[in-house]
Amino acid sequence: MTQHAYIRPIGLVPGPQSEHGNAIRLAGSMAHASRFAVILRRDGDIVERWLAAPDTMAQVLGALPDEVGADAEAQWANLTLAHPPLQLGPRSVALDQPQVMGILNVTPDSFSDGGRYLDDRAAGREHAAAMVEAGAAIIDVGGESTRPGAKVLWEGDEIERVVPAIEDCVAMGAAVSVDTRKAAVMEAALEAGAHLVNDVSGLAHDPRSAEVVAQAGCPVVLMHAPGAAGEDLHEGGDYDRVAFDVFDALRARRDAALAAGIEARNILLDVGIGFGKSLGENLALVNALPLFHALGHPLLFGASRKRMIGALSKEAPADERLGGSIALALEAMRCGVQMVRVHDVAETVQARNVWRGLRDAALTDFSDLPG
């Protein structure tokens, strides 16, 4: 018999004063939570569910079986953990407000903008500069398409694609991440000046990748994909309860990264929207995003222009999914996600800034309180 406990924030509020102080700041973000579901899962089934608030959480956690009690206590501590800034070379990226990561694809077959910047280095450089000027905290350079059905790219070809783009971004002073699952590409990208590794396989695809990241001492994004260890990232998406299954899988990848010598402060997590998940499963994960703060690491969220938006928008093509992309980015921010990965940086930054204005106003508004 295996048991796991989960603490899922279910009541998000504008600020602590709206709950007379009985709320927490969620993972150091601009989101606050006042109500929580404490869930006990045994052999895959949900067997108990309690509701708690900050002032009753100790009582609820004390009633859990001893086997899961310590982990539940750690999750509760993680939900209130404020994450330090990311150190990306000379740049420091604060995580006390949502940050925007801009996408630069140098591929011929990306689902959204494949081919646009692969053969025109100047166009890619101009696009990256425009994203930085618009407010992107990081430029994420990817040379291999990870859409369903895409063929695996030889690492030599991937290096030839990403290194020039990384060098151009570094030369303009940008913080740069490399979107790859191959250790050789990680090494070449870091040598070219990249500051962060964004691995869609959660360091499961290449047996050398964890060692490369650990030795570099750089931050890394661990994303969930059911087929991470194989060639097809989307293969094997069979879930019982998708939010908890992905939570457990990310915890396992995080633990493997720690065991390989990667520092906890350098780990970010990504639930992997669109990777081996149905529309319903993707929606469930978005709704469950606050749960993943209990793992104790900053969260990255990537749903920009993805298939789920088209499925909910009369099959709108990828380049006509701006509205849905911003809607999902704002929902992620509401859930306390620290970074959103997007194609449309200027529009997302503007939406973020308006959202932040609303949050700042709520945090300083005591007009409906007596005295």
Side-chain angles (χ1 to χ4, degrees):
M1 181 182 70
T2 59
Q3 294 190 105
H4 295 286
Y6 309 86
I7 303 178
R8 177 174 179 172
I10 56 173
L12 301 179
V13 295
Q17 68 269 34
S18 64
E19 294 290 329
H20 295 191
N22 196 23
I24 66 167
R25 184 180 179 188
L26 197 55
S29 71
M30 300 187 73
H32 290 78
S34 63
R35 289 192 305 124
F36 307 83
V38 180
I39 298 156
L40 182 63
R41 193 181 187 199
R42 184 178 298 136
D43 293 334
D45 295 325
I46 305 300
V47 295
E48 294 283 354
R49 185 178 188 271
W50 301 268
L51 297 181
D55 60 354
T56 62
M57 184 60 71
Q59 178 182 352
V60 172
L61 296 184
L64 289 171
D66 291 343
E67 180 185 343
V68 299
D71 179 63
E73 293 280 0
Q75 289 186 40
W76 178 238
N78 287 338
L79 288 171
T80 62
L81 179 65
H83 301 290
L86 280 179
Q87 291 303 136
L88 304 175
R91 297 180 63 110
S92 180
V93 177
L95 299 177
D96 58 354
Q97 69 162 332
Q99 299 288 355
V100 175
M101 172 186 280
I103 299 169
L104 178 59
N105 284 322
V106 282
T107 65
D109 57 350
S110 174
F111 80 95
S112 176
D113 53 4
R116 187 176 303 177
Y117 306 116
L118 175 60
D119 298 320
D120 191 340
R121 183 170 176 177
R125 184 164 55 243
E126 291 173 9
H127 180 56
M131 290 193 289
V132 172
E133 184 177 357
I138 303 172
I139 303 299
D140 190 44
V141 178
E144 180 184 45
S145 174
T146 54
R147 62 178 174 79
K151 294 182 179 179
V152 176
L153 182 66
W154 177 56
E155 60 190 27
D157 289 338
E158 189 174 343
I159 290 170
E160 288 186 2
R161 292 178 182 180
V162 301
V163 165
I166 290 169
E167 291 174 341
D168 287 344
C169 292
V170 171
M172 68 180 70
V176 183
S177 67
V178 59
D179 179 0
T180 186
R181 52 180 169 162
K182 303 182 184 74
V185 181
M186 295 175 192
E187 290 172 323
L190 293 167
E191 179 67 24
H195 308 101
L196 180 151
V197 170
N198 181 13
D199 187 349
V200 291
S201 79
L203 301 178
H205 178 75
D206 189 323
R208 281 203 315 118
S209 58
E211 177 185 354
V212 169
V213 172
Q215 289 183 349
C218 65
V220 60
V221 179
L222 307 178
M223 195 197 80
H224 174 270
E231 299 297 327
D232 185 355
L233 291 161
H234 303 267
E235 189 176 45
D238 183 17
Y239 310 98
D240 181 17
R241 300 175 187 268
V242 66
F244 304 123
D245 292 346
V246 172
F247 185 98
D248 292 343
L250 281 176
R251 174 163 46 191
R253 296 312 308 153
R254 183 275 312 275
D255 290 347
L258 293 173
I262 298 171
E263 295 185 52
R265 64 180 177 85
N266 280 336
I267 296 174
L268 296 85
L269 302 176
D270 181 348
V271 299
I273 295 296
F275 284 80
K277 302 168 183 81
S278 68
L279 173 60
E281 289 160 349
N282 285 319
L283 293 171
L285 281 172
V286 175
N287 285 330
L289 281 173
L291 164 72
F292 292 89
H293 291 297
L295 287 169
H297 302 275
L299 302 180
L300 182 144
F301 178 79
S304 178
R305 301 186 185 178
K306 287 194 174 177
R307 175 71 185 84
M308 66 179 293
I309 300 170
L312 295 170
S313 309
K314 299 181 180 179
E315 302 302 332
D319 61 353
E320 295 179 14
R321 297 174 184 171
L322 174 61
S325 298
I326 289 179
L328 289 170
L330 289 174
E331 177 60 16
M333 295 176 199
R334 189 183 76 90
C335 294
V337 165
Q338 286 83 3
M339 190 168 297
V340 292
R341 180 180 180 273
V342 304
H343 298 84
D344 303 291
V345 170
E347 295 85 349
T348 307
V349 168
Q350 184 181 81
R352 188 274 310 275
N353 291 347
V354 172
W355 177 88
R356 178 172 179 172
L358 291 168
R359 286 291 164 159
D360 287 340
L363 285 172
T364 57
D365 183 2
F366 296 86
S367 61
D368 63 350
L369 297 179

